[in-house]
Amino acid sequence: MSNKDNIYATTQAVEDFTFDAKVVEVFPDMIQRSVPGYATIVSTMGKLAGQFAQNNSNLYDLGCSLGAVTLSMRRNIDKENCAIIGIDNSAAMVERCKLHLSGFRSQVPVDIRLGDITQSNIENASVVALNFTLQFIPLEKRQALLSNIYQGLKPGGVLLLSEKFRGNDEQADSLLIDLHHDFKRANGYSELEISQKRTAIENVMRPESLEQHLTRLQSIGFSQTQVWYQCFNFCSMIAIK
Ligand SMILES: Nc1ncnc2c1ncn2[C@@H]1O[C@H](C[S@+](CC[C@H]([NH3+])C(=O)[O-])CC(=O)[O-])[C@@H](O)[C@H]1O
Ligand SMILES: O=C(O)C(=O)Cc1ccccc1
């Protein structure tokens, strides 16, 4: 069990959100109470990874945090000679992720690396997961990152992309934001916590619209794109090379 997220429970001078040691301590609780359907998304990404994994290939978990998707993928792989590579640029996350994964046994080798996914080599990949990570990459670097992933995928390989997204217009967007805030309230977050967290992430997390995501994936060359999960302003997509 992880600790309860009470980072924004007291009034404070809110600073930009970072994935530091304090966040690591509460991360499972934070993500579970903040993302509608997180557990469903993670387990389904594992199932999809099992379906699309190819013999003699790599599976990547980019922005792996504590390795939830890595573990879910590893549970579902039944192909030969597969390896999972998890990458995150938060030293605190990587350290805790390694500790966490060492508590589970598996035949599938896992390599957790400290690194910037915009500078990482993606090769011989059958599956690449970006579970709520692209939203933290500067807007101008997203196209290059996704093209690099596309280049590193084998034919028939897939990108599994989950994002918080923006509604198409102001009214639609505030409707989705309100529904999400209701969800957070129902999970025990106070008005103060919701509002201070919003301030903390507004400069570091830049959501795009669903259309922007799908159009870019198609322009990069993915032959098929499909949204398979949506709740409020959270969604998960698959793009097939
Ligand atoms: N340039 C970067 N390079 C590497 N990592 C990065 C970069 N930028 C941000 N990150 C990392 O991306 C992760 C985003 S969390 C992903 C949840 C996880 N996928 C999960 O399924 O539990 C989502 C959230 O908390 O909203 C953090 O661990 C960052 O350090
Ligand atoms: O914490 C929130 O309320 C967020 O919306 C941030 C967020 C978005 C997507 C994954 C995890 C956290």
Side-chain angles (χ1 to χ4, degrees):
M1 264 308 279
S2 82
N3 301 315
K4 187 173 157 101
D5 170 23
N6 56 12
I7 291 178
Y8 297 106
T10 53
T11 305
Q12 54 197 264
V14 179
E15 289 174 10
D16 280 352
F17 187 83
T18 57
F19 292 95
D20 58 15
K22 204 169 62 175
V23 167
V24 166
E25 290 305 325
V26 301
F27 189 73
D29 178 69
M30 169 187 285
I31 198 152
Q32 171 72 32
R33 287 201 288 142
S34 302
V35 178
Y38 175 73
T40 303
I41 293 169
V42 169
S43 66
T44 307
M45 285 173 80
K47 293 275 187 302
L48 289 167
Q51 198 174 317
F52 285 94
Q54 301 178 26
N55 291 328
N56 312 308
S57 71
N58 295 322
L59 292 85
Y60 289 84
D61 180 5
L62 304 180
C64 59
S65 297
L66 301 184
V69 170
T70 291
L71 273 176
S72 182
M73 295 202 296
R74 194 166 73 168
R75 264 183 220 122
N76 286 280
I77 296 172
D78 57 8
K79 294 291 189 308
E80 297 195 347
N81 195 25
C82 286
I84 304 179
I85 297 150
I87 306 174
D88 204 289
N89 68 349
S90 157
M93 282 289 186
V94 165
E95 191 188 327
R96 185 62 60 90
C97 183
K98 285 181 175 170
L99 190 69
H100 183 55
L101 289 174
S102 68
F104 300 82
R105 277 174 175 280
S106 161
Q107 301 289 80
V108 181
V110 172
D111 182 10
I112 302 297
R113 303 176 183 165
L114 176 65
D116 181 345
I117 60 169
T118 66
Q119 307 289 324
S120 298
N121 213 18
I122 309 291
E123 54 195 8
N124 193 34
S126 54
V127 178
V128 177
L130 277 170
N131 199 32
F132 302 108
T133 302
L134 188 66
Q135 59 197 13
F136 293 102
I137 302 300
L139 286 166
E140 67 278 7
K141 292 190 175 173
R142 293 183 190 181
Q143 170 91 26
L145 168 61
L146 293 167
S147 296
N148 184 43
I149 290 170
Y150 182 82
Q151 295 308 324
L153 278 168
K154 293 161 76 75
V158 293
L159 168 66
L160 304 177
L161 174 63
S162 309
E163 285 281 286
K164 187 177 188 183
F165 66 94
R166 240 177 353 93
N168 275 331
D169 57 53
E170 220 176 296
Q171 195 180 358
D173 194 44
S174 50
L175 184 138
L176 295 176
I177 290 171
D178 288 348
L179 288 168
H180 177 231
H181 287 176
D182 286 345
F183 170 86
K184 292 189 74 164
R185 237 172 259 123
N187 282 330
Y189 282 117
S190 68
E191 296 306 321
L192 180 68
E193 287 178 290
I194 292 170
S195 125
Q196 292 192 140
K197 174 74 182 279
R198 198 178 177 183
T199 304
I201 60 176
E202 72 187 358
N203 292 327
V204 289
M205 199 186 89
R206 291 266 147 73
E208 294 173 279
S209 72
L210 218 37
E211 287 67 26
Q212 283 172 308
H213 285 296
L214 294 170
T215 306
R216 185 173 46 214
L217 292 171
Q218 285 150 14
S219 79
I220 285 170
F222 286 98
S223 65
Q224 294 184 53
T225 55
Q226 180 64 53
V227 174
W228 57 264
Y229 177 90
Q230 188 196 329
C231 183
F232 315 138
N233 36 7
F234 292 79
C235 77
S236 198
M237 297 159 254
I238 180 166
I240 308 177
K241 181 162 178 176

